[in-house]
Amino acid sequence: MTALLVKRARPDLNVLLLDAAMAPIHRPCGEFLGPAGVRVLSDAGLATAVIADGARVLQGLRLYAGRSVLGADFLPGIVRPPHPHGLGVRREMLDRRLQQAAAAAGVDLRRGARVGTMVRSDGSWQVQVGGATITAALVVGADGRRSVVRRRSGLDAPCGRKRYALVCRAHGMTPPDGGWRHGEMHISPLGQVGLAPLTDGEVNLNLLLAPQTSGFLQEHPPDILMRAALRATPSLRHRSANARIGRVLATPSLPQRSVGVVANGVALVGDAAGFWDPFTGDGMSIALRSAESLARCIAGLDLRNGASERALAPYAAAWRRQLRIKRALYPGLASVLARRRLCEALIGTFGRSALLGRIMVAIEGDYLPRR
């Protein structure tokens, strides 16, 4: 998305997009795109195409704890974004659509290109890719939680916290009353189970293991853990009785940190900029929003003399604004989620509150005004 928007705004720039994979692949991902991410796709002229490719339109969010539920539909018309719905979207399909759009805009897309060394010299970067050296005024790291660009540029920071997740796709899950209309999060004795409805009767299941259950990964195969979590979760036990679970992917530790999102000639976007525990799987929305902000910043730069950290500061400021509410609220939210009985009690008490449901949807659905 960054490459696409930069090339559209600045056709004069040479934009090179490197992908280590030979083609988009199924990777661990919640596969839920919130309304803010849909808005970015819509502004880029891609939302209709992504839906036509097979994404499922979702109308809201639901949080299940025990037998109680808290949630609401996305609010239409009175707040941004103008298209109040989310998407359940297969990750490889979304990646393919974005790459095709970037290539059609004139971006030089190279597959199977893995970044090696990066050396700063005379105001630019010398990037080793295979047997070739590429000179770049600006390097954008959009390469995920374990970002090579973040490490090579000195922006990596140690993170002592460890959290692990399991992700799979499944057929045969029973939909809730009203059908597959919402993204779901279920509080489980093993952690939190996210559910994103896809199409053709398929759903994405992602289990974020609680800190006290992370050691189970060393004792049990991932598919056994996923099935155990479904059986142990009251709101999913009967709905998953006939589920056919596909390959279960286990992630390395999720939390990652960076000392900053910009440096001289470097900018980090998406999970590469730092990643903390997910709640409703909004990583894709954050990535698209930050890509939009970064592209807007790059479009105004004179790159003939490189891109200084000061010149990239507007992007860093925009990134902090976009995430300030989530970063402020997350420690308290994580504390509640880690106490299953407390969480069930709170949801049972407040689950009938339409206002609280809308507040949760507003925060997790990124229903916040843009600056």
Side-chain angles (χ1 to χ4, degrees):
M1 181 60 79
T2 305
L4 167 64
L5 296 180
V6 167
K7 189 62 178 178
R8 284 180 176 176
R10 292 283 302 277
D12 59 302
L13 295 181
N14 295 320
V15 182
L16 175 62
L17 180 59
L18 305 177
D19 190 346
M22 293 303 298
I25 60 174
H26 174 35
R27 62 181 71 243
C29 179
E31 298 189 315
F32 171 79
L33 185 64
V38 177
R39 194 269 306 159
V40 178
L41 285 180
S42 180
D43 288 353
L46 298 176
T48 300
V50 169
I51 293 173
D53 286 341
R56 176 180 286 276
V57 173
L58 300 176
Q59 303 298 334
L61 294 172
R62 294 288 187 269
L63 171 62
Y64 295 81
R67 300 293 180 182
S68 303
V69 60
L70 174 67
D73 287 353
F74 298 124
L75 303 177
I78 61 173
V79 288
R80 297 191 69 91
H83 306 290
H85 62 79
L87 294 175
V89 54
R90 293 174 179 85
R91 176 62 182 274
E92 68 272 23
M93 181 272 290
L94 178 63
D95 290 351
R96 185 176 300 109
R97 174 59 63 178
L98 290 173
Q99 288 186 357
Q100 289 172 347
V107 171
D108 182 2
L109 170 61
R110 300 184 190 178
R111 303 187 188 277
R114 188 176 297 276
V115 171
T117 60
M118 287 175 50
V119 178
R120 185 75 174 162
S121 176
D122 296 328
S124 62
W125 285 97
Q126 306 299 315
V127 183
Q128 195 75 22
V129 181
T133 300
I134 297 169
T135 300
L138 175 64
V139 175
V140 174
D143 50 341
R145 295 187 311 274
R146 305 175 76 185
S147 171
V148 172
V149 174
R150 187 179 67 229
R151 295 199 305 271
R152 297 285 190 270
S153 62
L155 289 174
D156 201 24
C159 183
R161 296 168 58 246
K162 301 289 185 182
R163 296 296 300 275
Y164 300 90
L166 305 177
V167 182
C168 69
R169 292 173 182 161
H171 285 88
M173 292 282 295
T174 302
D177 294 340
W180 295 118
R181 297 181 56 248
H182 303 95
E184 302 176 12
M185 181 64 73
H186 299 257
I187 304 303
S188 166
L190 271 70
Q192 297 114 49
V193 181
L195 188 155
L198 304 172
T199 50
D200 302 323
E202 192 171 46
V203 300
N204 173 289
L205 294 173
N206 56 91
L207 167 62
L208 176 65
L209 290 166
Q212 63 270 23
T213 65
S214 294
F216 291 171
L217 267 177
Q218 299 176 354
E219 304 170 8
H220 305 284
D223 61 321
I224 298 297
L225 277 183
M226 180 64 78
R227 292 182 184 278
L230 295 175
R231 289 194 300 269
T233 306
S235 51
L236 287 175
R237 184 178 302 127
H238 299 295
R239 291 175 57 187
S240 63
N242 298 316
R244 302 182 303 279
I245 294 177
R247 180 189 176 198
V248 181
L249 305 175
T251 69
S253 182
L254 293 173
Q256 303 289 329
R257 293 184 59 204
S258 63
V259 296
V261 297
V262 299
N264 288 328
V266 177
L268 303 177
V269 67
D271 289 352
F275 187 86
W276 55 97
D277 296 347
F279 176 49
T280 58
D282 54 0
M284 289 197 294
S285 288
I286 292 172
L288 291 179
R289 292 177 66 198
S290 57
E292 181 184 56
S293 297
L294 177 56
R296 186 179 299 119
C297 177
I298 295 172
L301 298 181
D302 182 354
L303 294 177
R304 289 174 295 183
N305 296 317
S308 67
E309 182 176 347
R310 182 176 180 180
L312 294 168
Y315 164 63
W319 184 85
R320 289 191 296 269
R321 285 198 303 269
Q322 289 171 356
L323 297 178
R324 66 187 184 277
I325 293 180
K326 289 180 183 292
R327 297 179 79 181
L329 294 180
Y330 188 79
L333 178 61
S335 178
V336 172
L337 292 175
R339 295 165 172 80
R340 181 170 61 90
R341 297 299 185 188
L342 172 61
C343 190
E344 291 178 357
L346 290 175
I347 299 303
T349 301
F350 299 113
R352 296 184 180 276
S353 169
L355 176 60
L356 287 179
R358 289 176 179 175
I359 290 174
M360 185 193 79
V361 169
I363 294 172
E364 293 302 330
D366 284 319
Y367 263 115
L368 303 173
R370 281 192 300 164
R371 289 188 60 171

